[in-house]
Amino acid sequence: DTGVSQDPRHKITKRGQNVTFRCDPISEHNRLYWYRQTLGQGPEFLTYFQNEAQLEKSRLLSDRFSAERPKGSFSTLEIQRTEQGDSAMYLCASSSGGGRTGELFFGEGSRLTVL
Amino acid sequence: AQSVAQPEDQVNVAEGNPLTVKCTYSVSGNPYLFWYVQYPNRGLQFLLKYITGDNLVKGSYGFEAEFNKSQTSFHLKKPSALVSDSALYFCAVRDAPLEGGATNKLIFGTGTLLAVQP
């Protein structure tokens, strides 16, 4: 399978713990995005990388959230001191250098439940 | 700011009947519009996009969408619905910052649940 892969698919944690999600994009894609989706809502943009550079961050991305893409390949999204409101599906997507006309390819998502 | 609206939370249709899932948009500049489908506990799958050219865009699984500039709409359609089409459908627009430059993220609507009855 050469699609976008995310790990873990499911994570249950207690409030206050740290969690980290990993995303492996499609290999030739230089653009990578993180979104968050809560029940009954559309995906909300969190952050965007072009190669290793983080070019945009949403105000939804509080200081407890950090994302990296150190070598321009895989990316990690870390949430520190989790809160119950962080419970959501975290989606990763990638795209090629098609600029503004290219579609995003999404992974299956990582579902976070904070108890 | 760019935005899309999906006015229907749910659309019910009988198998074999035509279906329409509505989307309206608000953009500054040229609209780049997309439709995605999401099955339960899965990621989003790309269906089709409108960039320029013909107003009727054909996509995956027999879906098509009609771009209407005067009505600022981009409705998703299929001539004959299948039970397997039952899923959550999202309309999206490519963001464009007011100050110019390239911003590549998609802004999604709230989604429409399509239920196809056998």
Side-chain angles (χ1 to χ4, degrees):
Chain A
D1 185 19
T2 57
V4 178
S5 62
Q6 294 187 244
D7 183 70
R9 292 290 311 279
H10 304 275
K11 178 71 176 179
I12 300 174
T13 191
K14 294 182 179 179
R15 187 178 56 184
Q17 298 296 305
N18 299 341
V19 297
T20 299
F21 301 114
R22 176 181 170 122
C23 171
D24 287 89
I26 293 172
S27 58
E28 63 267 27
H29 286 181
N30 62 344
R31 300 163 193 262
L32 188 146
Y33 310 77
W34 284 99
Y35 282 80
R36 181 171 67 187
Q37 184 180 20
T38 54
L39 197 62
Q41 299 296 318
E44 297 173 299
F45 170 79
L46 292 179
T47 190
Y48 159 63
F49 290 86
Q50 185 166 323
N51 299 311
E52 66 275 9
Q54 189 174 21
L55 296 185
E56 187 173 350
K57 292 193 295 184
S58 165
R59 65 178 185 275
L60 293 175
L61 212 65
S62 76
D63 56 5
R64 296 185 299 105
F65 288 70
S66 62
E68 294 183 341
R69 195 182 182 197
K71 298 182 179 179
S73 57
F74 74 91
S75 176
T76 58
L77 176 68
E78 181 183 16
I79 309 174
Q80 295 181 326
R81 306 180 303 281
T82 53
E83 301 172 356
Q84 288 185 327
D86 297 332
S87 295
M89 176 79 87
Y90 290 86
L91 296 167
C92 178
S94 68
S95 70
S96 65
R100 299 178 65 196
T101 63
E103 60 268 28
L104 273 58
F105 294 85
F106 283 84
E108 297 291 330
S110 293
R111 182 170 295 283
L112 173 65
T113 302
V114 182
L115 303 176
Chain B
Q2 322 288 71
S3 66
V4 291
Q6 295 182 244
E8 303 155 316
D9 290 335
Q10 182 163 339
V11 169
N12 298 306
V13 64
E15 187 174 32
N17 283 0
L19 69 87
T20 298
V21 182
K22 296 180 180 178
C23 173
T24 58
Y25 66 88
S26 174
V27 301
S28 56
N30 295 322
Y32 301 120
L33 298 161
F34 301 77
W35 275 102
Y36 282 81
V37 60
Q38 186 176 35
Y39 297 97
N41 297 313
R42 304 294 295 274
L44 279 71
Q45 296 179 30
F46 169 76
L47 282 178
L48 50 80
K49 66 182 178 182
Y50 173 82
I51 305 301
T52 187
D54 289 341
N55 290 340
L56 187 64
V57 179
K58 294 189 181 298
S60 305
Y61 312 121
F63 283 92
E64 56 191 26
E66 186 173 9
F67 172 72
N68 188 317
K69 187 173 183 179
S70 63
Q71 297 185 3
T72 62
S73 67
F74 188 56
H75 299 333
L76 182 70
K77 300 181 179 184
K78 188 172 183 181
S80 179
L82 299 173
V83 172
S84 57
D85 292 330
S86 298
L88 194 55
Y89 290 81
F90 290 98
C91 181
V93 63
R94 179 79 75 186
D95 192 28
L98 296 176
E99 65 274 18
T103 298
N104 298 283
K105 65 180 183 282
L106 293 184
I107 298 171
F108 287 87
T110 52
T112 298
L113 182 64
L114 174 66
V116 182
Q117 284 86 38

